[in-house]
């Protein structure tokens, strides 16, 4: 029996973006540790710097960042376009922040981000009183003209934390109230951080309601490890049949839907040392050595809590006994790539058996050899998912653009090699 390999994962991406944004809007000095030093979060820092916030352009995951907030409505008119790189969270959340300020800013990004839908945030923010201009039908470049906004009661057609957060941030900055209702609760980090900083926010089964805020207290926050990154390492341990422990992982229920799916597939996974950090649940994740996994159905209300994990769950399903059906996941088509088309075409390229569905996919698992070249389309989660499948055994898979993993998981390939060496 091999010894349990204990590893950590870099800081949570969603929380790192929010920590920087809330620190920028707070009154006073915030102290944030463990901020993910990945390309997406570096994009948020760059956008905040363009708006007058003093932030480093590079940092390490061990650094403590001390950030002087400019106050609830104190950002400066930028003199350049806001370059969001590959980051949808930077674009959509910061569009809400700009909408609440009396300023005008143009958002730009890379080719993948420029294709992603932005009208989903423009619609509610326009209803609040902001003015949006698009040069194409949807997507970037997008100019936001903010100002005096009004209250909003928004029923969102999609479960999207980025849409919900854009609205809450616009209301926070402009001193308005907002009510947001979603078909299923999306990740609730913005709500938790607002509550931790003293904002009048009420969350019910039906909706999130934020009352007018005058000032935001500064944060003192340790960013936990990213559960989305942890799932890649869990998947590799499962494929290699080795036990693993991942310490200090964020285990917010709106983020760990994949843990329940892994359990249904036959993985024995336990959370130990559970505690709370700044309003976010954190624990160590223990995974026992797994002998084999089975295919499962994934769909319905569980999708928002595992949307980013579907590519790696699909790759794992290619090694499961039986069929896996993923449904109700049409949102995958508007992520960093069309993750339904890209996962299925890459699974087929390496010899796995998979078909697209309009809102998901079907994967028929097998133990045969997988070999071939994977096109990541610059999508970090595609590169990592197939990287794991390649390292999982009986496979010879090459992945183009391996550096794109830096969008969310710097050091991914090194950590993968470390776990692989444990066998
Ligand atoms: C995120 C929300 C999700 C997720 C993305 C990060 C966030 O997107 O897929 O990786 O930090 O709010 P949607 O809000 O579009 O579902």
């Amino acid at each position: 029996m091999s010894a349990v390999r204990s590893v950590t994962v870099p800081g949570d991406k969603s929380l790192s973006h929010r920590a920087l944004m809330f620190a920028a809007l707070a009154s006073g000095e915030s102290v944030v540790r463990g901020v993910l030093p990945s390309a997406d979060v570096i994009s948020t820092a760059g956008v905040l710097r363009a708006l007058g916030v003093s932030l480093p352009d590079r940092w390490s995951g061990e650094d403590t960042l001390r950030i002087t907030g400019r106050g609830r409505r104190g950002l400066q008119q930028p003199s350049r376009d806001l370059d969001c790189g590959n980051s949808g969270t930077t674009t959509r959340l910061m569009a809400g922040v700009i909408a609440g300020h009396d300023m005008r800013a143009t958002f730009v990004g890379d080719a993948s981000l420029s294709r992603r839908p932005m009208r989903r945030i423009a619609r509610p923010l326009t209803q609040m009183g902001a003015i949006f201009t698009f040069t194409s039908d949807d997507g970037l470049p997008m100019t936001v003209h903010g100002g005096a906004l009004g209250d909003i009661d928004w029923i969102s057609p999609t479960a999207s934390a980025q849409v919900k957060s854009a609205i809450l941030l616009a209301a926070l900055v402009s001193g308005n109230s907002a009510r947001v209702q979603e078909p299923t609760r999306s990740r609730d980090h913005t709500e938790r951080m607002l509550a931790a900083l003293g904002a009048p926010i009420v969350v019910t089964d039906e909706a999130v309601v934020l009352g007018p805020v005058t000032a935001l207290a500064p944060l003192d926050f340790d960013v936990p490890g990213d559960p989305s990154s942890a799932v890649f390492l869990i998947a590799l341990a499962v494929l290699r049949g080795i036990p693993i422990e991942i310490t200090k992982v964020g285990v917010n229920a709106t983020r760990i839907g994949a843990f329940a799916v892994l359990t249904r597939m036959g993985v024995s996974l336990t959370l130990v040392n559970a505690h709370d950090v700044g309003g976010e649940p954190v624990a160590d994740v223990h995974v026992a050595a797994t002998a084999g996994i089975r295919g499962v159905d994934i769909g319905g209300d569980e999708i928002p809590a595992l949307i980013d994990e579907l590519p790696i769950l699909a790759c794992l399903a290619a090694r499961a006994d039986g069929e896996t059906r993923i449904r109700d996941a049409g949102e995958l088509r508007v992520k960093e790539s069309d993750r339904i088309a890209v996962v299925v075409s890459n699974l087929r390229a390496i010899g796995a058996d998979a078909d697209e569905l309009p809102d998901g996919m079907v994967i028929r698992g097998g133990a045969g050899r997988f070999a071939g070249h994977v096109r990541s389309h610059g999508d970090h989660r595609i590169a990592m998912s197939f990287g794991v499948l390649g390292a999982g055994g009986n496979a010879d898979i090459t992945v183009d653009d391996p550096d794109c993993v830096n969008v969310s998981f710097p050091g991914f390939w090194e950590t993968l090699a470390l776990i692989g060496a444990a066998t």
Side-chain angles (χ1 to χ4, degrees):
M1 220 175 99
S2 45
V4 179
R5 178 69 62 161
S6 181
V7 292
T8 55
V9 282
D12 186 82
K13 181 156 81 70
S14 291
L15 284 168
S16 295
H17 285 298
R18 287 162 173 80
L20 295 186
M21 291 177 195
F22 281 113
L25 297 171
S27 301
E29 188 189 73
S30 292
V31 183
V32 193
R33 290 161 292 267
V35 176
L36 173 68
S38 82
D40 268 12
V41 184
I42 288 170
S43 292
T44 286
V47 166
L48 290 170
R49 273 201 310 280
L51 296 163
V53 184
S54 176
L55 277 169
D57 55 0
R58 288 287 182 276
W59 62 90
S60 97
E62 279 78 52
D63 290 348
T64 297
L65 302 186
R66 293 181 185 279
I67 304 160
T68 304
R70 298 193 58 96
R72 180 176 64 82
R73 216 167 179 228
L75 297 181
Q76 287 171 354
Q77 168 66 44
S79 56
R80 55 178 192 265
D81 288 351
L82 302 178
D83 186 355
C84 300
N86 189 249
S87 177
T89 307
T90 309
T91 315
R92 295 191 178 119
L93 271 59
M94 287 307 299
V97 171
I98 299 294
H101 280 83
D102 193 9
M103 64 170 70
R104 184 191 163 93
T106 297
F107 290 81
V108 296
D110 70 10
S112 148
L113 181 60
S114 300
R115 282 192 297 268
R116 297 181 64 187
M118 295 298 157
R119 292 213 184 252
R120 53 177 56 194
I121 51 151
R123 278 189 283 271
L125 297 176
T126 301
Q127 186 176 306
M128 291 178 86
I131 299 166
F132 278 70
T133 319
F134 291 89
T135 50
S136 60
D137 189 36
D138 201 344
L140 301 185
M142 165 182 84
T143 300
V144 184
H145 198 154
L149 306 182
D151 297 341
I152 185 166
D153 184 349
W154 187 254
I155 300 179
S156 180
T158 23
S160 163
Q162 293 178 353
V163 172
K164 175 176 59 181
S165 301
I167 297 169
L168 293 175
L169 282 162
L172 164 72
V173 171
S174 61
N176 285 104
S177 62
R179 180 179 182 278
V180 186
Q181 197 174 322
E182 304 182 272
T184 308
R185 172 74 41 81
S186 63
R187 65 190 66 191
D188 63 0
H189 302 305
T190 302
E191 297 91 303
R192 284 171 185 263
M193 213 173 264
L194 280 167
L197 301 183
I201 186 153
V202 177
V203 180
T204 65
D205 284 347
E206 269 216 324
V208 173
V209 182
L210 176 67
V213 175
T214 40
L216 202 62
L219 306 70
D220 184 344
F221 189 59
D222 278 285
V223 179
D226 196 319
S228 298
S229 298
V231 172
F232 292 108
L233 307 187
I234 296 170
L236 178 61
V238 168
L239 291 173
R240 299 289 285 249
I242 59 173
I244 191 172
E245 174 193 63
I246 310 173
T247 56
K248 291 190 190 151
V249 180
V251 291
N252 179 319
T254 62
R255 290 291 301 283
I256 57 166
F259 290 9
V261 170
L262 287 164
T263 305
R264 294 209 297 275
M265 292 178 102
V267 178
S268 163
L269 192 145
T270 32
L271 304 184
V272 294
N273 298 330
H275 61 287
D276 208 85
V277 176
E280 286 284 345
V282 178
D284 299 337
V285 182
H286 287 191
V287 183
T290 307
I293 48 173
R294 52 185 171 269
V296 291
D297 286 337
I298 308 173
D301 286 353
E302 69 180 339
I303 294 294
L306 50 70
I307 188 78
D308 291 341
E309 286 62 72
L310 286 169
I312 180 60
L313 290 174
C315 284
L316 210 47
R319 283 301 192 206
D321 186 12
E323 187 177 278
T324 293
R325 291 181 81 82
I326 300 172
R327 303 296 308 269
D328 309 310
E331 273 293 298
L332 282 183
R333 295 206 183 268
V334 290
K335 294 295 179 186
E336 286 83 330
S337 66
D338 175 344
R339 287 182 176 161
I340 295 177
V342 170
V343 166
V344 169
S345 67
N346 280 315
L347 281 173
R348 288 179 167 186
I350 60 167
D353 185 355
D355 287 309
E356 281 190 41
L357 300 172
D359 64 346
M361 60 191 98
V362 182
I363 306 113
R364 286 163 287 270
R369 185 163 182 78
F370 292 145
H373 185 63
V374 162
R375 291 187 58 211
S376 64
H377 295 261
D379 183 335
H380 54 133
R381 298 200 199 280
I382 299 297
M384 291 190 281
S385 300
F386 284 89
V388 166
L389 198 49
N394 198 17
D396 181 11
I397 298 172
T398 51
V399 178
D400 71 356
D401 196 6
D403 289 346
C404 72
V405 304
N406 291 327
V407 159
S408 64
F409 195 160
F412 169 76
W413 299 108
E414 292 77 8
T415 309
L416 206 65
L418 187 78
I419 295 169
T423 325

